[in-house]
Amino acid sequence: MKFNEPVLLVGETGCGKTTVVHILPELLKRRLFTVNCHMHSDGSDFLGGLTPVRTRYEDDDRLFEWVNGPLVEAMQQGGIFL
């Protein structure tokens, strides 16, 4: 993290890897973004995607709009991504 590089935490189950990742953003005053992966996870779970437009405005004929996913938000806001 000192050199703004990704970090891989390795260790046995229950040794505190996730706890460290939850405490670190508090100490650094940064926001934590998380994604829980499963067998059906795909790129849109990380990056975002097109969703139907919920609020329609005059002269706006869009049917879909892009919504950023947690990885893109973390990158834009300088957050920590788990």
Side-chain angles (χ1 to χ4, degrees), residues 1 7 11 13 15-16 21 28-29 36 44 48 61 66 74-75 79 81:
M1 287 191 66
V7 176
T13 301
C15 72
V21 174
L28 298 175
K29 307 276 192 267
N36 292 318
S44 64
D61 58 351
W66 179 265
M75 292 170 69
F81 181 78

Side-chain angles (χ1 to χ4, degrees), residues 48-69:
L50 294 172
T51 61
V53 173
R54 294 187 180 159
T55 306
R56 306 284 295 199
Y57 296 103
E58 210 172 297
D59 297 330
D60 185 5
D61 58 351
R62 297 178 305 146
L63 297 177
F64 297 93
E65 63 185 348
W66 179 265
V67 176
N68 289 336

Side-chain angles (χ1 to χ4, degrees), residues 1 5-11 17 21 81-82:
M1 287 191 66
E5 294 288 332
V7 176
L8 176 64
L9 298 178
V10 179
K17 299 180 299 288
V21 174
F81 181 78
L82 171 64

Side-chain angles (χ1 to χ4, degrees), residues 23-59:
I23 292 171
L24 194 58
E26 297 288 328
L27 296 173
L28 298 175
K29 307 276 192 267
R30 292 166 68 182
R31 187 170 169 203
L32 175 65
F33 295 83
T34 62
V35 172
N36 292 318
C37 296
H38 51 80
M39 63 187 290
H40 300 293
S41 295
D42 64 13
S44 64
D45 295 328
F46 298 90
L47 302 175
L50 294 172
T51 61
V53 173
R54 294 187 180 159
T55 306
R56 306 284 295 199
Y57 296 103
E58 210 172 297
D59 297 330

